[in-house]
Amino acid sequence: MALPLTGSATNYYLSNAGSDSNNGTSSATPWQTLAQLNLAVLLPGDSVLFEAGGIFRGEIMINSSGTVAAKIYFGSYGNGTLPVISGAEPVTGWSYYGGNTYKAGFSQSPAHLFADDEQMTIARYPNSGYLIHQDGISNTGFIDTLLTQPNGYWNGATVRIRTTDRLWEITTVDSFSNDTVIFNTPTAFGISNGYGYYLDNLFSLIDTSNEWFYDSIAQNLYFIAPGNIDPSSLFTEASVYDYGLLIQSGSSYLTIENIQFEKQMKTAIFGEAYSANITIDSSVFRLQGETGIQIPNGSTLCSITGNDFFDINGLGISIIYSSKSELTENTFKRIGVVAGYGALSINNQMAIECNASDSMVISKNDIDSIGGPGLFAGITNSVISKNILNYCLLNTNSLGSIYIYGGTEKSSVFKSNFVQYTIGNVTASPNNPLNTAGIYLDIAANENTIDSNTITYATTGLLIASGSSGNSVRSNVIYGCTETQMKISEGSVQGSTINNTVIGNTFYALHESADVVQLISFYDSFMPALFDSNYYFNPYAYALIKEEIGLDGSTFPNYFTLDQWQKRRSMDLHSYSSFLNISRFKVTDTLEDNLIDNSFFTNNFDGWVNFQPDTLAMLLDNSTPLDQGCLKINFLFSLPDNVYGPSYSSFQLDSGALYQLHLSNYSVKEGNVIVKWKEFANSSGQYVVVPRVLPFDETTHNYNCVIQPFNKCEDCYLTLDLRGIDSIVWVDNITLYPVIGVYEKPEKKSRLFINQTNSSLTFDLGDSIFFNLNQLPITATFTLGPYSAAVMIFDSSLILSVDEYFIPQLPKIFPNPVLSGGILSLYIPQAGNGSEISICDLQGKRLFNKILPPSQKNFQIKIPSFLSAGTYYISVKNEYEFWSGKILVLHL
């Protein structure tokens, strides 16, 4: 055995071909094992170099420090792949045991088994899926009447249990008796009914391929190999070392680079206590049982840059109580994707956990396929920027891809991050709905800046939770989120969510069921933010902002168009809303007759029932701009904002089928008609989740909506609810036709362009015409600045779509597009006396009007030169017919 070595600025070499009897100070005389390295006393300026292509099994212990000028260095030498620090030992000598099971003697107690570099499954029950207990016993156990095994059968088994939407916990069965499981160690959270679990790590459970078990008494490994083959033909390893590199208390000024760490039972690089100036660069971390890098007890001025983290059960990086450290340009893939595996911590299955830290820089990390959040940020005065996060929350729910922890941590900047596909997982939960957020500011996350981020395809794009105040939300693009693009909520403390600002953002929904913005509070006085200069777009719905405010807010939500919202709140005066309304289905044919027998109210309103005659009046009227007779719905006195309106019943809807709903309305007031259809199943009715909000005002609106029921309904109701104090509305032409429709993918109509690079990026649009959200046409090319995104509307969705105002009968109009000031030719199929042509903007305001000569079918008109570039409605009406269409006006 060599004696401990001392010296200054010495290079130490390790090679699989070396010998521990060498002096280790040259590539010609390297050591062989980590055990020999651990005998060395490392001094400032020393280097430890591992030969490329080598595998070094065991743990490295560091209890030395370098200096500012002379760090202690760990790296590689020679040519080839990165040297590997492995926490696993090979398993050999497999022999047949019985059935498909083989065994091998193994003297060390392993945490995981690997076959040809793939992690195998600890023998479990059930083999897939989860069991559901019936009753929790505080946080110490549960009752499951389907566990019929003898008393004591599950003693010693590992329990992997989902205790909340956010968390899987790991504990051990202390005792099992009469359907009751009692834990050896309590869980952090109580055991709530309806959550799932599974049991593993008993010999009796090994019964299918890829499963293994270790008998610590007999010191045997048992294994059913993939494909039930003899595992002797596979390279098998078992993880037996806790750490790859253990930085002991106070060790500082270290550099680790160009090394691969793999298969540690716990953590590849672990810092025991306070460390400073630790640099970890260009290394690989994979197949750790718990964590890639963990520095939990304080650090400063550390740098973790350019590393790759793959296939780790718990966390990629966990850094706590750190200051002025950087985590940049790292790649994380498949972290925490095995539900129930990983770290014994409430913060588990994350790419990056950075908690109780300040003045951090977390930038340009690529994060993909994570069981929980991509980034857990409990930080102060820090900058999180230019990170790319995809497919987070694969095993958890009610969290965010970027999760911002509140409390004392605050005042950080989250800028130019790309957060896409925040999935969520509700398996092993009691039928809870998906509830994910791209960026989630949890309770009391205060004074943060959320700036220029791109967030797509979450349940909620940006969630500002109860008590989060003083946050600035600006210049973000939030697109395609299924419930709402942004949600701000307030908890039980009135006035706790205040003084936020929401300015210059693009909120873009892609489905009629998706809200653009939601505000939620028990208190009527709730006004959590100043809103202005935002883009509120949902081409598939007319209402953009949803308020669930007051004690009955969730039962009777209020919906607002931008115009209604501006008048109600006196905010968003410089904001913009959707300038087109389309459907996800293009109707190609009508299958059957109208399902509403009395649609036109020509003589009566038979078949329509008023459930609130003391509150609401139904009258027949023909004095409005609506044709012939119509139904007048009127409040009888001043009322709350919410009233159930008249209903029509006794028709059938089929699950998944398409129906086209038409409704005309007009009013001298402003408000909304809420169209809902009631579906009955087993004599219990439930309103559909996706109401259609149809605004009314002094303009005559003709709405066409395609609906697709969730459930088959034998005896359905169609209900017209009202929103708006002192409302009065006339409705007419309420038809419901079964139809055939072709699905038109919203992402093709409303295109998201993304630039995730540090240079401007130009997109070739070919011959297509797009529109930006200011309704200006974009042709040929389109350029995005660095780390930015924009939504562009494809021209066919404007030119070919049918809108709410007009019946889809088109005259022949050409050329289209047409130049401002140019000549537009029209052909009218049926000439009449005194035909009138009008050009209106997309809000229905008439900008041009002309009476045409009688008895002519062909006309030419000059497009007014004052029309700015964009899309307009053009209509022609005479004594016989009414035609309408859209024209695109261009400027040279």
Side-chain angles (χ1 to χ4, degrees):
M1 178 69 67
L3 295 175
L5 299 174
T6 63
S8 178
T10 303
N11 293 337
Y12 297 103
Y13 295 82
L14 285 88
S15 170
N16 291 158
S19 170
D20 288 350
S21 62
N22 290 336
N23 62 16
T25 58
S26 75
S27 59
T29 58
W31 292 328
Q32 185 181 56
T33 70
L34 300 182
Q36 182 63 31
L37 170 63
N38 289 331
L39 296 176
V41 176
L42 300 178
L43 299 176
D46 285 353
S47 295
V48 178
L49 305 174
F50 301 92
E51 186 178 28
I55 299 177
F56 303 89
R57 304 182 186 277
E59 297 177 327
I60 303 170
M61 306 293 181
I62 302 176
N63 57 5
S64 304
S65 293
T67 65
V68 174
K71 291 187 175 182
I72 296 175
Y73 178 84
F74 293 81
S76 65
Y77 74 97
N79 299 317
T81 59
L82 295 182
V84 173
I85 308 300
S86 176
E89 291 286 355
V91 182
T92 58
W94 292 103
S95 62
Y96 181 69
Y97 175 76
N100 293 316
T101 304
Y102 288 75
K103 74 173 182 177
F106 197 76
S107 61
Q108 296 170 275
S109 182
H112 294 283
L113 181 69
F114 303 89
D116 285 351
D117 232 23
E118 296 288 336
Q119 180 175 278
M120 298 294 101
T121 301
I122 303 170
R124 56 167 284 178
Y125 176 79
N127 288 332
S128 62
Y130 311 99
L131 304 171
I132 304 295
H133 56 78
Q134 287 80 54
D135 195 12
I137 305 172
S138 183
N139 64 341
T140 61
F142 58 81
I143 297 171
D144 186 349
T145 57
L146 298 181
L147 293 180
T148 59
Q149 294 82 7
N151 291 347
Y153 179 88
W154 295 109
N155 292 2
T158 299
V159 183
R160 304 180 192 268
I161 184 167
R162 190 168 190 172
T163 54
T164 72
D165 275 2
R166 299 181 172 188
L167 180 64
W168 283 85
E169 297 196 54
I170 307 168
T171 187
T172 304
V173 177
D174 183 69
S175 66
F176 170 71
S177 177
N178 299 323
D179 313 326
T180 300
V181 171
I182 300 298
F183 303 151
N184 179 276
T185 303
T187 53
F189 289 85
I191 308 302
S192 300
N193 291 350
Y195 282 97
Y197 71 96
Y198 64 96
L199 297 148
D200 68 12
N201 204 26
L202 290 181
F203 178 65
S204 59
L205 304 182
I206 184 168
D207 61 359
T208 191
S209 61
N210 292 35
E211 287 191 341
W212 68 276
F213 172 77
Y214 180 70
D215 183 341
S216 59
I217 297 175
Q219 294 190 335
N220 281 326
L221 266 169
Y222 297 87
F223 182 33
I224 302 178
N228 300 324
I229 65 173
D230 183 343
S232 299
S233 63
L234 306 173
F235 180 59
T236 52
E237 301 171 277
S239 58
V240 293
Y241 300 107
D242 284 341
Y243 307 111
L245 192 153
L246 178 63
I247 303 173
Q248 298 181 1
S249 299
S251 297
S252 297
Y253 295 101
L254 308 173
T255 295
I256 301 107
E257 67 178 14
N258 296 317
I259 298 174
Q260 178 167 309
F261 296 84
E262 63 178 43
K263 303 185 180 77
Q264 283 73 34
M265 288 203 298
K266 292 184 177 180
T267 303
I269 297 179
F270 183 85
E272 279 189 332
Y274 178 81
S275 295
N277 288 277
I278 307 295
T279 297
I280 304 171
D281 187 16
S282 303
S283 293
V284 174
F285 301 82
R286 58 188 298 271
L287 297 170
Q288 277 75 40
E290 296 184 5
T291 310
I293 298 172
Q294 187 174 11
I295 307 176
N297 297 312
S299 60
T300 188
L301 294 170
C302 291
S303 175
I304 303 174
T305 302
N307 304 284
D308 293 330
F309 298 82
F310 300 140
D311 302 299
I312 297 172
N313 286 332
L315 302 99
I317 298 173
S318 176
I319 186 166
I320 303 174
Y321 299 113
S322 186
S323 177
K324 300 178 182 178
S325 294
E326 295 186 1
L327 285 64
T328 60
E329 300 183 5
N330 302 287
T331 298
F332 302 84
K333 293 186 183 298
R334 299 178 301 277
I335 309 298
V337 297
V338 182
Y341 280 28
L344 297 173
S345 168
I346 60 173
N347 292 337
N348 187 24
Q349 299 189 324
M350 302 175 180
I352 299 174
E353 177 196 19
C354 185
N355 203 3
S357 299
D358 69 272
S359 304
M360 305 290 288
V361 174
I362 304 175
S363 181
K364 298 183 179 180
N365 297 287
D366 187 352
I367 298 172
D368 193 321
S369 301
I370 312 300
L375 170 61
F376 179 102
I379 52 180
T380 300
N381 297 322
S382 298
V383 176
I384 294 84
S385 67
K386 303 173 184 175
N387 301 286
I388 300 173
L389 300 94
N390 289 293
Y391 296 101
C392 297
L393 304 192
L394 296 180
N395 286 328
T396 50
N397 194 32
S398 192
L399 280 165
S401 285
I402 295 179
Y403 173 80
I404 303 172
Y405 181 75
T408 59
E409 287 76 27
K410 61 181 183 179
S411 302
S412 290
V413 175
F414 297 80
K415 182 178 177 64
S416 300
N417 300 287
F418 294 86
V419 184
Q420 302 180 91
Y421 305 105
T422 304
I423 301 299
N425 190 319
V426 296
T427 57
S429 74
N431 298 315
N432 292 340
L434 281 176
N435 179 26
T436 67
I439 297 181
Y440 191 136
L441 282 74
D442 208 350
I443 297 172
N446 297 326
E447 300 176 20
N448 298 288
T449 297
I450 314 299
D451 183 7
S452 302
N453 301 283
T454 301
I455 306 170
T456 69
Y457 304 118
T459 309
T460 296
L462 173 64
L463 174 57
I464 300 178
S466 308
S468 294
S469 298
N471 297 289
S472 173
V473 178
R474 64 193 189 204
S475 303
N476 302 282
V477 175
I478 305 179
Y479 170 93
C481 297
T482 56
E483 179 186 338
T484 183
Q485 313 316 298
M486 183 177 72
K487 180 190 298 185
I488 307 179
S489 65
E490 184 172 50
S492 59
V493 179
Q494 185 174 7
S496 60
T497 306
I498 57 173
N499 297 331
N500 299 289
T501 58
V502 180
I503 296 175
N505 303 280
T506 296
F507 302 114
Y508 205 108
L510 294 175
H511 195 284
E512 60 271 11
S513 67
D515 296 315
V516 178
V517 171
Q518 290 182 5
L519 304 179
I520 300 174
S521 174
F522 294 123
Y523 303 102
D524 294 327
S525 61
F526 183 57
M527 194 59 251
L530 170 68
F531 296 81
D532 202 8
S533 301
N534 300 296
Y535 290 87
Y536 300 103
F537 271 63
N538 187 349
Y540 303 95
Y542 300 97
L544 303 172
I545 298 167
K546 179 181 180 182
E547 287 187 352
E548 296 182 10
I549 294 179
L551 295 177
D552 62 348
S554 60
T555 305
F556 295 109
N558 278 314
Y559 301 88
F560 301 95
T561 64
L562 178 58
D563 181 66
Q564 292 169 346
W565 167 256
Q566 289 168 331
K567 292 174 181 177
R568 181 179 177 90
R569 294 295 188 182
S570 298
M571 284 192 294
D572 268 314
L573 300 182
H574 303 94
S575 294
Y576 300 87
S577 62
S578 308
F579 53 79
L580 75 159
N581 292 100
I582 54 181
S583 173
R584 291 181 300 116
F585 297 93
K586 180 180 179 180
V587 175
T588 58
D589 196 9
T590 300
L591 294 176
E592 300 175 19
D593 293 337
N594 179 19
L595 300 179
I596 309 295
D597 290 334
N598 189 359
S599 294
F600 306 108
F601 310 108
T602 305
N603 300 308
N604 56 60
F605 45 79
D606 293 349
W608 291 86
V609 178
N610 182 6
F611 291 106
Q612 295 181 300
D614 295 334
T615 301
L616 202 68
M618 288 172 51
L619 303 169
L620 202 64
D621 197 346
N622 61 2
S623 63
T624 73
L626 302 179
D627 61 326
Q628 301 180 27
C630 60
L631 179 62
K632 178 182 179 182
I633 308 171
N634 189 24
F635 285 165
L636 297 179
F637 49 84
S638 182
L639 295 168
D641 281 357
N642 311 286
V643 173
Y644 289 118
S647 293
Y648 181 88
S649 61
S650 301
F651 57 88
Q652 176 177 313
L653 298 177
D654 292 325
S655 174
L658 299 179
Y659 301 86
Q660 186 168 55
L661 171 70
H662 180 276
L663 182 146
S664 302
N665 68 25
Y666 164 82
S667 183
V668 294
K669 303 282 188 179
E670 289 189 358
N672 297 301
V673 175
I674 313 297
V675 182
K676 297 190 287 189
W677 47 101
K678 199 169 187 178
E679 304 178 10
F680 281 86
N682 300 324
S683 301
S684 62
Q686 182 180 9
Y687 275 113
V688 74
V689 180
V690 188
R692 298 304 176 90
V693 180
L694 307 180
F696 57 77
D697 52 34
E698 296 185 30
T699 303
T700 298
H701 297 275
N702 294 294
Y703 293 103
N704 282 297
C705 306
V706 177
I707 66 174
Q708 189 176 36
F710 295 133
N711 303 304
K712 182 178 178 62
C713 174
E714 299 289 346
D715 185 14
C716 297
Y717 277 55
L718 185 73
T719 301
L720 308 179
D721 295 349
L722 299 187
R723 297 291 190 268
I725 296 175
D726 191 26
S727 286
I728 180 173
V729 65
W730 288 264
V731 296
D732 200 1
N733 304 327
I734 306 172
T735 61
L736 188 65
Y737 286 95
V739 296
I740 296 175
V742 176
Y743 178 70
E744 296 186 321
K745 190 174 182 180
E747 289 85 351
K748 290 185 177 180
K749 300 284 188 178
S750 304
R751 309 253 183 111
L752 179 64
F753 292 84
I754 292 178
N755 180 10
Q756 297 177 340
T757 72
N758 60 2
S759 301
S760 293
L761 182 63
T762 298
F763 298 87
D764 184 356
L765 302 180
D767 295 331
S768 298
I769 300 171
F770 286 82
F771 293 83
N772 66 18
L773 300 191
N774 289 320
Q775 202 180 331
L776 297 177
I778 307 295
T779 59
T781 61
F782 168 62
T783 300
L784 273 178
Y787 302 107
S788 66
V791 183
M792 306 280 284
I793 299 173
F794 186 49
D795 60 345
S796 63
S797 60
L798 289 174
I799 295 171
L800 302 179
S801 66
V802 176
D803 67 284
E804 67 192 87
Y805 294 101
F806 299 112
I807 299 170
Q809 294 176 297
L810 303 178
K812 294 182 180 178
I813 303 171
F814 56 93
N816 191 7
V818 63
L819 292 176
S820 177
I823 300 300
L824 186 72
S825 298
L826 297 96
Y827 171 78
I828 300 175
Q830 189 169 6
N833 293 320
S835 294
E836 181 180 9
I837 184 169
S838 299
I839 298 177
C840 303
D841 65 17
L842 293 180
Q843 284 71 46
K845 181 180 179 181
R846 188 154 57 181
L847 305 174
F848 172 83
N849 179 254
K850 184 177 181 179
I851 303 299
L852 303 175
S855 304
Q856 284 187 225
K857 292 185 177 182
N858 292 289
F859 300 96
Q860 287 188 334
I861 63 168
K862 184 177 181 180
I863 296 297
S865 59
F866 62 79
L867 292 183
S868 59
T871 303
Y872 297 88
Y873 298 118
I874 184 167
S875 64
V876 181
K877 67 178 180 179
N878 58 36
E879 59 190 296
Y880 301 112
E881 297 286 356
F882 173 82
W883 298 273
S884 67
K886 286 183 178 178
I887 59 171
L888 173 61
V889 176
L890 300 178
H891 282 193
L892 289 178

